[in-house]
Amino acid sequence: MNEKLKELYKNVILEHNNNPVRFVKSETSEYIVEAYNQICGDRFKLFFDLKDGKMINASFHGFGCAISKASTSVLLSYINGKTLEEVGQTVDSFLNILDEQEEITEKITDDFEAFTAAKSFPGRAKCATLTWDELKLFLSKLEK
Amino acid sequence: MIDPTEIRKSFPIFANNPDLIYFDNAATTQKPDIVVDGICDFYKNDYSNIHRGIYDLAAITTQKYEAVRDKVATFIGAPSRENIVYTSGTTAGINLVAFAFLAPRLQAGDEVLITAMEHHANLIPWQIVCQSKGATLKTIPVNEDGSLRRDSFRSLLNNKTKMLAIVHISNATGYINPIKDMINLAHEFKVPVLVDGAQSVAHYEIDVNALDVDFFVFSGHKVFGPTGIGILYGKSEHLSRMEPLNYGGSIIKDVRFEKTTFLEPPHRFEAGTTNIAGVIGLGYAIDFINQFDKLKIQQYLKYLRNYCISNMQEIKGLRILGSIDDKNENGAIISFLLDKVHPHDVATILGVEKIAVRAGNHCTQPLMDFLELPGTSRASFSIYNTPYEVDQFVRALESIQQFFK
Ligand SMILES: Cc1ncc(COP(=O)(O)O)c(C=O)c1O
């Protein structure tokens, strides 16, 4: 396998793909956010409850490529027990890093950095941001 | 015999991309010199609008444009050029039949029958027409391997059925529907039949007359022709009773502010300036295919598919969707899954190795839902593909499976 590909499927991604964080179905959760990519059929659900402005009992389930699954797993590794504001900041900083136009100035953690290679593959940046985009949309609706 | 190495030489894309392994022929085919140069020559030497000018050039263009209808008619066994409607593609042809033929005849309580393996193009137009008329869209189910449940087909036909629309060869699995039997049975119930030939015309001999099919549609871009041009074949008895779907210039006999009368088919379905160069290009594409014996094409592609399958079967954890029995006829399509790797990851990795395959639901989402699959990866072959390319493809699959182990 060539270097460019190894870069894309870094250990972080393979590891999260094979052993996803908080990968459980919880249809009885207070909130269920569904992310669906019509182009490739990837479909994930985020499950969580809100208590005192914090996301708790967060988990995810669904099916998708290694990149979308791993990126959602990374998302879950951050959000459980966090306030909505903290979640919002994490989501924004991940999406900024994945945004082509955005100049990256902040220091990036390894688990975020792993996904930047997706930018150079046709159509794959969307895989990395699928559930993050959907969560951002959910948060913005919640504010209103 | 088909000699793919020789055939490749007529496709400039391969000279310009020597490493390209193009296994996405079900999505669209590459274009031979004769088509590319033919369109170029046409623009350089003969181009004008059609059916309008009184000058020589316009007459020449019109004549060339209309002559392609004869070529298409012969290519698919249609009785005359009057049965050949130029469209922008398969999708447009199906929409024309759904809205100009079926809609005016459909009533509440009627039924339209399709199969569960249809491309979205042969599903949504019928769904929308049914919804607008209070009719019901029924689907003939498929088996686990993607083949048609023939027993169900019989029981779904009844005197409420007003249309049967079926794909000839499934673009998702390569399964070939028994269209002749289906048409015969449908006709026993006086049900008109549309066949979606998008995947079949490039490789299979089509004889719409012998099939007795009511409508047959295909796209130029899947038969080595340009994009934006397609064909709707219709029986005269149907076309002559259909009103135009689009209104404007080029379709009229007589226009008054009170009333307009329209030209006879096929022209009444071709409003506005059509894809003239596309038609010319399609004509050259048919000349290109006509150099080959369709049976030889099928033989070669069957060999290539079987060769590929037998090598793929060596890979642990690889599953092929559909029939892999080499006695069964099948389109030149292999839809497959690697147990540890998502189809999109497969396509990305193959893409870096310059191997073009399609991944996803192949515009057949209901079929994938029924099979409980997120999608598949799909390799689809044409006459310029070689066993050597298959070897590289299989080797790449092995290394992907290894990497994700
Ligand atoms: C079986 C089938 N039907 C219909 C279509 C739609 O063809 P087009 O996009 O050229 O209209 C395709 C092509 O993707 C196809 O494979």
Side-chain angles (χ1 to χ4, degrees):
Chain A
M1 191 133 334
N2 83 9
E3 288 310 312
K4 199 175 154 205
L5 277 171
K6 286 201 185 122
E7 178 71 19
L8 179 65
Y9 293 100
K10 274 201 170 113
N11 287 339
V12 175
I13 293 184
L14 283 185
E15 179 53 31
H16 275 278
N17 179 52
N18 296 339
N19 302 300
V21 175
R22 307 183 78 88
F23 191 63
V24 256
K25 213 185 236 176
S26 165
E27 296 288 346
T28 55
S29 290
E30 195 179 345
Y31 292 96
I32 301 177
V33 174
E34 188 177 52
Y36 176 56
N37 185 345
Q38 152 67 24
I39 297 167
C40 56
D42 286 6
R43 196 189 289 274
F44 289 102
K45 282 179 177 173
L46 304 173
F47 306 99
F48 53 88
D49 301 327
L50 287 179
K51 190 156 178 248
D52 305 331
K54 284 188 181 161
M55 262 189 197
I56 56 168
N57 303 324
S59 67
F60 84 108
H61 204 263
F63 198 91
C65 64
I67 296 170
S68 62
K69 189 172 177 188
S71 90
T72 310
S73 172
V74 168
L75 173 67
L76 262 294
S77 74
Y78 278 94
I79 61 178
N80 195 46
K82 296 283 159 51
T83 66
L84 287 177
E85 197 185 345
E86 288 166 329
V87 172
Q89 281 165 0
T90 306
V91 170
D92 284 342
S93 89
F94 182 82
L95 291 176
N96 271 345
I97 290 165
L98 267 288
D99 187 346
E100 265 170 66
Q101 272 80 45
E102 211 63 33
E103 187 97 25
I104 305 166
T105 47
E106 54 192 312
K107 192 173 156 353
I108 314 177
T109 51
D110 285 352
D111 49 1
F112 280 17
E113 210 269 332
F115 294 93
T116 53
K119 286 201 238 182
S120 60
F121 285 83
R124 299 309 299 273
K126 178 69 204 165
C127 306
T129 61
L130 179 66
T131 45
W132 298 75
D133 283 332
E134 211 57 50
L135 185 58
K136 186 180 167 77
L137 200 68
F138 170 84
L139 292 174
S140 70
K141 280 189 196 145
L142 209 59
E143 272 170 23
K144 280 178 202 152
Chain B
M1 207 28 208
I2 295 291
D3 180 354
T5 349
E6 202 48 44
I7 294 173
R8 278 176 98 74
K9 291 182 190 155
S10 2
F11 286 79
I13 190 113
F14 297 119
N16 296 329
N17 302 271
D19 309 334
L20 174 65
I21 298 183
Y22 187 75
F23 282 177
D24 197 15
N25 294 286
T28 195
T29 55
Q30 297 298 342
K31 315 304 168 203
D33 282 318
I34 177 177
V35 169
V36 180
D37 296 344
I39 293 171
C40 214
D41 283 350
F42 172 68
Y43 273 128
K44 286 181 184 169
N45 300 310
D46 300 323
Y47 181 73
S48 81
N49 210 327
I50 45 165
H51 299 304
R52 300 179 185 193
I54 315 291
Y55 45 92
D56 277 358
L57 194 58
I60 292 169
T61 307
T62 303
Q63 196 242 330
K64 288 197 166 185
Y65 177 87
E66 289 300 324
V68 173
R69 279 191 224 272
D70 295 330
K71 218 175 253 183
V72 175
T74 312
F75 184 58
I76 60 169
S80 123
R81 61 160 72 174
E82 265 87 61
N83 301 96
I84 304 299
V85 182
Y86 294 138
T87 66
S88 65
T90 305
T91 304
I94 297 168
N95 273 280
L96 182 55
V97 177
F99 289 94
F101 172 74
L102 184 64
R105 290 160 180 75
L106 200 64
Q107 292 176 349
D110 285 346
E111 294 176 1
V112 173
L113 198 53
I114 61 172
T115 78
M117 68 184 93
E118 295 311 318
H119 188 282
H120 296 163
N122 200 25
L123 185 170
I124 304 169
W126 309 114
Q127 187 182 54
I128 299 297
V129 168
C130 283
Q131 279 168 3
S132 73
K133 298 282 171 174
T136 311
L137 184 65
K138 297 243 160 158
T139 48
I140 311 162
V142 294
N143 298 303
E144 299 279 285
D145 65 357
S147 61
L148 189 81
R149 293 264 307 267
R150 287 187 186 219
D151 49 335
S152 308
F153 170 50
R154 214 202 151 101
S155 60
L156 279 164
L157 268 176
N158 60 56
N159 55 17
K160 285 185 281 184
T161 315
K162 289 289 143 34
M163 186 86 207
L164 171 68
I166 47 176
V167 69
H168 188 180
I169 300 185
S170 160
N171 65 303
T173 63
Y175 175 75
I176 304 180
N177 272 307
I179 52 168
K180 183 65 194 138
D181 293 349
M182 295 176 82
I183 292 165
N184 288 348
L185 197 57
H187 284 173
E188 284 178 26
F189 289 83
K190 301 209 162 24
V191 174
V193 184
L194 175 141
V195 169
D196 170 354
Q199 295 297 338
S200 59
V201 266
H203 309 151
Y204 283 76
E205 198 69 59
I206 302 295
D207 187 338
V208 289
N209 216 21
L211 283 170
D212 197 27
V213 67
D214 297 273
F215 297 102
F216 186 90
V217 287
F218 68 94
S219 300
H221 70 95
K222 293 189 204 266
V223 290
F224 312 110
T227 52
I229 182 71
I231 296 296
L232 163 66
Y233 158 81
K235 281 186 180 170
S236 306
E237 62 191 85
H238 299 316
L239 292 181
S240 63
R241 293 196 197 113
M242 284 160 62
E243 292 301 316
L245 184 63
N246 295 317
Y247 295 93
S250 307
I251 64 167
I252 61 245
K253 227 183 242 165
D254 184 42
V255 186
R256 314 275 164 112
F257 281 117
E258 301 76 39
K259 187 176 164 52
T260 299
T261 49
F262 299 103
L263 291 172
E264 295 303 313
H267 298 104
R268 69 161 64 176
F269 306 111
E270 300 169 359
T273 298
T274 53
N275 185 356
I276 305 170
V279 167
I280 301 302
L282 179 63
Y284 286 115
I286 291 173
D287 290 343
F288 174 76
I289 301 182
N290 283 343
Q291 298 173 67
F292 308 102
D293 178 345
K294 286 265 184 73
L295 282 175
K296 295 248 163 69
I297 293 181
Q298 283 161 49
Q299 247 171 24
Y300 176 67
L301 293 176
K302 186 171 181 172
Y303 155 75
L304 202 61
R305 183 173 185 274
N306 288 340
Y307 176 68
C308 190
I309 287 177
S310 64
N311 283 301
M312 286 169 89
Q313 281 174 317
E314 304 287 311
I315 302 173
K316 250 184 76 195
L318 186 146
R319 176 183 150 207
I320 293 165
L321 183 64
S323 162
I324 49 172
D325 183 346
D326 77 0
K327 283 187 284 304
N328 280 346
E329 283 304 316
N330 216 303
I333 289 170
I334 305 175
S335 231
F336 64 95
L337 290 151
L338 292 176
D339 59 352
K340 301 249 163 38
V341 200
H342 187 276
H344 243 194
D345 296 316
V346 174
T348 294
I349 299 169
L350 289 175
V352 172
E353 314 272 338
K354 295 277 194 300
I355 303 173
V357 299
R358 173 89 184 265
N361 66 27
H362 316 297
C363 294
T364 55
Q365 197 186 325
L367 176 66
M368 293 297 148
D369 289 348
F370 169 77
L371 299 172
E372 294 183 353
L373 295 174
T376 66
S377 304
R378 178 187 73 186
S380 51
F381 306 122
S382 187
I383 46 177
Y384 39 62
N385 293 128
T386 65
Y388 171 73
E389 291 179 308
V390 167
D391 291 341
Q392 284 181 293
F393 167 66
V394 173
R395 217 169 294 139
L397 288 179
E398 276 165 0
S399 78
I400 294 171
Q401 189 71 325
Q402 208 55 33
F403 184 71
F404 277 83
K405 197 172 63 187

